[in-house]
Amino acid sequence: MAIRVYEEQGIFHLQSKGTSYIMQIVNGYPAHVYWGKQLAFEEQPHSFVDLPEGPLFLLDRLPQEYPQYGTGDFRSPAYQVRLGDGSRITELVYSAYRILKGKPQLEGLPAVYCETENEGETLELELRDAYSGLIVTLSYSVFEDSAAIARSVRIDNQGEQPLQLLRALSASIDMPRSDLDAVYLAGTWNREAHVQRRPLGPGGTTIESRRGASGHLLNPFLALAAPDADEDHGDVFGFSFVYSGNFFISAEVEPFRTTRVGIGINPFDFSWQLAPGEAFQTPEAVMVYSGAGFGEMSRTYHRLYRTRLCRGVHRDRVRPILVNNWEATYFSFTEEKIEEIAKAGAELGIELFVLDDGWFGRREDDHSSLGDWTPNPSKLPGGLTNLAKRVNDLGVQFGLWFEPEMISPDSDLYRSHPDWCLHVEGRRRTEFRWQLILDYSRQDVRDYIYDKLSEIFSTVPISYVKWDMNRNMTEIGSATAGPEQQAEIAHRYMLGLYELLERLTTRFPNILFESCASGGGRFDPGMLYYMPQTWTSDDTDAVERLKIQYGTSFVYPVSAMGAHVSAVPNHQVGRVTSLQMRGDVAMSGNFGYEMDLTRFSDEEKDLAKAQIKRYKEIRSLVQQGDMYRLVSPFAGHEAAWMFVSEDRSEALAYYFKVLAEPNAPQRKLRLKGLDPDKLYKVEESGLVMRGDRLMAIGIGIPAELKDYYSYSVRLKIID
């Protein structure tokens, strides 16, 4: 890891683990030169970018780092500004650079971090527009132990007139090739993170959200891959956005067969007023290069996000095994029923009980009470503290569900403060799921929620909070913002949410927070900064979860994925799968149950006890080891993946067969990530094999003639 500057040539060479990133100042413009496999530093580098000067110099041909529009480059710009005179023309020219030890924090925004200044370095390039007084600072951070580069931008108005930002991307890069495939994660509610792959072509490929959240439909992630790239081979360039609201990622192929990638806040319905002396900080984009396929890219993201994005006391701790009552009871429960489920869980070895929706206000269904965070006396006559104590007395921790960003029109809070929701005066208020969204751009609204939640967290022995968010933004407006600020509200909402989460997680560091947005509707790096795990999907069917968890793993570590065993027939698709398969899929994440455990048969109790005992033995490996994807569920009726400890002394592989095959050939599963020179013993069979054989030849999978079959293999190095 290092940053070397060749001032005479105007060249900046950034090295991170296994990768280099090179730029050059050309006619005052930062130009992109190279991003890929690590290159050695040179003593006297030559000029990389050779373009004619004078009237023949064309910005449309220059591979730029932060391009503008209106001065000769007709491709998509990284930023756009409207000046006080109504013009939109600025011309940023390089003026200075700075190299900082470590990585500065982004004010009010989530971002990856360095724990010590020796873990990374940051290059800042300062660009100026002489006419307007606009100063733009491009930030590039590299890391000692990661092939990642973190980019963000700070925009300062140092002029004498106010200006308006119309577009402010966090990063732009002109890649000198177009023979690339776009790989991204798409879906919808209950069907998140399905892997999509298609070749780039002339024109633009765009993934985005205009929903006020990162969303179920498209995750804020894009990879550009060589056509021959697979899990273990080929060049892959990853782009991940550390933000939870409206995002925009585009790959534009232009006639000269280069590809411009832009990533940042969605410019749709966005603007930001900058008075003289004010600044705007963009969220962060994290770029990862892999020369060894998608698997290496994913593991780079996993390690970085697990250890230098997630924070707090739970970052490095194993996560508790839980039972959640939602699919067991939905809204219909009593104190006695909750205690029965918690008791059944305690007898199985479960460590945490989570009380889901319906415990507050007059909440008997979706129609009321969001915002009224006081216990429902008809369900909890003894209150939350009494219930939590009864659960704790069983030797089980107590957790609670909230949806703090929402308000029901049928609530005491709404009747007292009808202007506290996002709305436009005189217009219809869209009540999706009979609820509206609190205006988190307002400090008074955030303070109210902070006080209400703090009161509960301070008086009830809560060790876990499930923070839900179940609808997207409509009528995006604020009663307290002026006309010129209304297009800022979606981003101000996110800044307000982050501010509230920072306050709560700082005051209550021992509570494990889990993010949820109808499942994976806000599974993004921004939320992981405050909450180290996310409910991956409301779809708990084991077969559907194979695709959802496989796709999510392209960017996010297993330690971030909530995964539960639920009842059959499954409540989302009606499928009946074995308890063994449901357990094996769920044990490939943060393990738990979401069902009525009191209904287990004796045989099911024994199997559940065995699952819980096993997960306690393997969870540090699953949650903190390196994940290797072995067989894609998108390629057929089977799937497989494995987890390997950092020192490669231990491994665990899971194989899943969705549909049985008649007269099937013997299936061998080739493993990955092992030490090729060491002997491994297979726990299940006693078989001893060298790591190179296990990876080249594989290990046999029993041929079971049944659908929905799973098999696991646990290996340890022997002397």
Side-chain angles (χ1 to χ4, degrees):
M1 172 219 50
I3 298 173
R4 184 167 294 185
V5 180
Y6 304 88
E7 293 190 1
E8 183 177 344
Q9 297 89 351
I11 291 173
F12 302 86
H13 185 163
L14 290 70
Q15 277 188 359
S16 199
K17 183 180 180 182
T19 185
S20 281
Y21 193 98
I22 302 175
M23 299 170 286
Q24 182 177 357
I25 305 302
V26 179
N27 284 12
Y29 303 100
H32 179 72
V33 173
Y34 174 82
W35 177 32
K37 181 180 178 181
Q38 183 172 318
L39 304 178
F41 289 132
E42 295 182 278
E43 290 303 318
Q44 290 295 326
H46 66 281
S47 178
F48 291 101
V49 180
D50 298 311
L51 290 175
E53 298 183 2
L56 296 179
F57 178 78
L58 295 175
L59 282 176
D60 210 36
R61 296 282 191 98
L62 185 68
Q64 297 183 66
E65 284 290 307
Y66 206 67
Q68 56 219 3
Y69 181 80
T71 57
D73 188 340
F74 300 96
R75 297 166 290 179
S76 297
Y79 77 100
Q80 190 174 24
V81 174
R82 178 183 288 123
L83 303 180
D85 60 7
S87 66
R88 282 91 57 214
I89 306 304
T90 57
E91 191 156 32
L92 294 173
V93 177
Y94 167 78
S95 64
Y97 78 88
R98 293 176 291 275
I99 296 178
L100 309 174
K101 284 288 188 182
K103 183 175 182 293
Q105 290 185 326
L106 299 189
E107 183 178 355
L109 286 165
V112 296
Y113 57 88
C114 294
E115 286 198 332
T116 69
E117 65 176 22
N118 294 326
E119 291 182 353
E121 282 189 333
T122 298
L123 170 69
E124 293 184 345
L125 297 183
E126 184 180 285
L127 315 178
R128 290 176 176 263
D129 176 51
Y131 176 81
S132 66
L134 184 69
I135 298 178
V136 172
T137 303
L138 311 182
S139 176
Y140 303 76
S141 294
V142 294
F143 306 92
E144 181 179 25
D145 293 324
S146 179
I149 298 172
R151 290 187 58 179
S152 64
V153 177
R154 179 182 171 90
I155 301 173
D156 288 87
N157 180 6
Q158 295 298 324
E160 297 179 355
Q161 300 294 325
L163 57 82
Q164 184 181 27
L165 286 179
L166 304 176
R167 184 184 186 100
L169 299 187
S170 299
S172 181
I173 178 173
D174 288 342
M175 304 183 69
R177 58 188 296 189
S178 61
D179 59 329
L180 297 165
D181 289 348
V183 179
Y184 55 98
L185 307 177
T188 185
W189 173 67
N190 268 3
R191 191 163 31 87
E192 298 90 342
H194 282 215
V195 180
Q196 309 293 319
R197 183 170 186 168
R198 67 186 189 202
L200 295 180
T205 296
T206 299
I207 65 169
E208 62 179 332
S209 172
R210 298 185 297 272
R211 295 170 168 262
S214 48
H216 296 89
L217 276 65
L218 293 160
N219 197 270
F221 160 79
L222 174 69
L224 297 184
D228 61 348
D230 58 20
E231 272 295 303
D232 306 302
H233 309 91
D235 286 341
V236 179
F237 304 86
F239 301 84
S240 175
F241 194 37
V242 187
Y243 189 63
S244 309
N246 294 334
F247 72 89
F248 173 88
I249 311 176
S250 69
E252 179 186 13
V253 175
E254 51 79 56
F256 303 105
R257 300 188 183 93
T258 62
T259 303
R260 172 167 290 179
V261 181
I263 178 170
I265 293 174
N266 199 326
F268 174 81
D269 199 35
F270 166 83
S271 72
W272 196 272
Q273 305 296 315
L274 275 184
E278 291 184 341
F280 181 84
Q281 174 65 56
T282 73
E284 184 169 83
V286 177
M287 300 163 35
V288 167
Y289 166 74
S290 165
F294 295 103
E296 184 181 87
M297 176 203 71
S298 296
R299 287 185 290 278
T300 299
Y301 276 122
H302 293 176
R303 287 189 289 269
L304 183 67
Y305 284 178
R306 186 179 69 243
T307 65
R308 292 299 181 269
L309 177 66
C310 295
R311 303 175 298 161
V313 298
H314 294 283
R315 185 190 73 179
D316 301 324
R317 291 181 181 174
V318 294
R319 310 291 164 74
I321 302 170
L322 65 83
V323 58
N324 181 298
N325 72 296
W326 178 240
E327 289 193 19
T329 66
Y330 293 104
F331 292 102
S332 301
F333 58 83
T334 62
E335 282 183 343
E336 289 69 29
K337 181 60 180 178
I338 294 303
E339 188 174 10
E340 287 177 10
I341 296 174
K343 182 179 180 182
E347 292 171 352
L348 298 175
I350 282 173
E351 300 158 317
L352 168 67
F353 174 84
V354 180
L355 178 61
D356 212 280
D357 197 355
W359 59 267
F360 53 92
R362 295 178 291 102
R363 185 82 160 171
E364 302 294 341
D365 51 35
D366 287 340
H367 292 69
S368 75
S369 300
L370 289 172
D372 297 341
W373 300 112
T374 55
N376 183 328
S378 65
K379 296 180 181 180
L380 304 177
L384 281 174
T385 303
N386 174 67
L387 178 61
K389 182 180 184 305
R390 291 164 69 174
V391 171
N392 291 163
D393 287 345
L394 298 169
V396 176
Q397 300 173 62
F398 183 72
L400 200 56
W401 177 97
F402 290 86
E403 194 171 0
E405 298 169 63
M406 302 295 152
I407 184 171
S408 301
D410 182 9
S411 67
D412 293 339
L413 182 62
Y414 186 80
R415 284 182 281 272
S416 298
H417 300 283
D419 65 323
W420 275 18
C421 64
L422 292 177
H423 71 282
V424 177
E425 197 61 37
R427 307 297 175 90
R428 179 174 65 88
R429 302 184 181 189
T430 301
E431 295 182 18
F432 181 69
R433 295 184 84 248
W434 300 280
Q435 62 193 60
L436 299 167
I437 302 178
L438 285 170
D439 183 1
Y440 269 31
S441 73
R442 294 176 54 165
Q443 187 70 53
D444 55 347
V445 174
R446 301 196 303 272
D447 288 345
Y448 173 84
I449 295 297
Y450 174 80
D451 290 341
K452 293 299 291 185
L453 269 56
S454 295
E455 180 183 354
I456 296 173
F457 297 166
S458 300
T459 57
V460 182
I462 292 174
S463 61
Y464 165 102
V465 166
K466 181 178 179 181
W467 183 293
D468 209 347
M469 190 280 292
N470 283 312
R471 62 154 291 179
N472 294 137
M473 292 183 183
T474 56
E475 295 86 46
I476 304 174
S478 175
T480 59
E484 71 284 354
Q485 290 186 312
Q486 293 300 325
E488 301 176 2
I489 298 304
H491 182 56
R492 287 190 180 275
Y493 180 100
M494 294 313 309
L495 295 177
L497 173 62
Y498 292 151
E499 185 252 10
L500 176 61
L501 293 178
E502 184 70 28
R503 292 169 70 190
L504 286 169
T505 56
T506 299
R507 181 174 176 184
F508 302 99
N510 293 315
I511 294 178
L512 172 60
F513 285 84
E514 178 176 280
S515 173
C516 177
S518 295
R522 206 163 58 185
F523 203 133
D524 59 65
M527 295 306 292
L528 289 183
Y529 185 73
Y530 305 97
M531 306 182 184
Q533 62 189 58
T534 299
W535 179 229
T536 316
S537 177
D538 281 347
D539 191 336
T540 55
D541 171 61
V543 174
E544 288 298 309
R545 272 300 187 106
L546 293 175
K547 292 181 177 179
I548 293 169
Q549 292 174 208
Y550 186 96
T552 301
S553 76
F554 263 59
V555 195
Y556 304 103
V558 171
S559 62
M561 296 188 217
H564 297 170
V565 176
S566 62
V568 292
N570 176 263
H571 292 194
Q572 290 79 48
V573 298
R575 197 178 347 255
V576 177
T577 55
S578 69
L579 183 56
Q580 176 181 327
M581 181 180 181
R582 282 177 277 155
D584 285 347
V585 173
M587 282 193 282
S588 300
N590 289 323
F591 183 52
Y593 293 81
E594 191 158 326
M595 58 194 304
D596 189 348
L597 301 177
T598 66
R599 299 191 176 203
F600 267 165
S601 66
D602 289 341
E603 181 181 358
E604 289 171 324
K605 287 180 183 178
D606 290 341
L607 180 52
K609 283 181 182 178
Q611 288 175 338
I612 292 167
K613 179 177 182 295
R614 181 174 178 82
Y615 192 70
K616 289 177 179 178
E617 297 170 354
I618 65 172
R619 61 181 159 185
S620 62
L621 173 61
V622 171
Q623 294 169 12
Q624 298 167 358
D626 287 331
M627 182 183 186
Y628 291 81
R629 293 182 292 266
L630 306 180
V631 180
S632 170
F634 297 99
H637 296 299
E638 58 182 353
W641 48 60
M642 65 183 293
F643 309 97
V644 182
S645 62
E646 185 176 356
D647 63 3
R648 298 192 290 179
S649 66
E650 185 179 5
L652 173 69
Y654 282 107
Y655 170 81
F656 306 94
K657 187 72 172 180
V658 176
L659 296 178
E661 181 182 359
N663 196 23
Q666 171 64 46
R667 185 69 165 97
K668 283 189 176 290
L669 191 64
R670 286 186 290 180
L671 306 184
K672 298 178 183 179
L674 305 177
D675 188 326
D677 300 320
K678 298 293 186 180
L679 289 172
Y680 288 84
K681 182 176 182 180
V682 180
E683 180 183 80
E684 289 73 16
S685 64
L687 175 71
V688 175
M689 289 182 68
R690 277 172 55 98
D692 58 354
R693 271 69 169 175
L694 288 164
M695 293 188 288
I697 300 172
I699 189 169
I701 301 295
E704 294 282 347
L705 294 178
K706 56 185 177 183
D707 297 339
Y708 315 133
Y709 165 70
S710 65
Y711 180 70
S712 63
V713 178
R714 190 176 180 189
L715 308 98
K716 290 186 177 180
I717 281 181
I718 60 172
D719 296 330

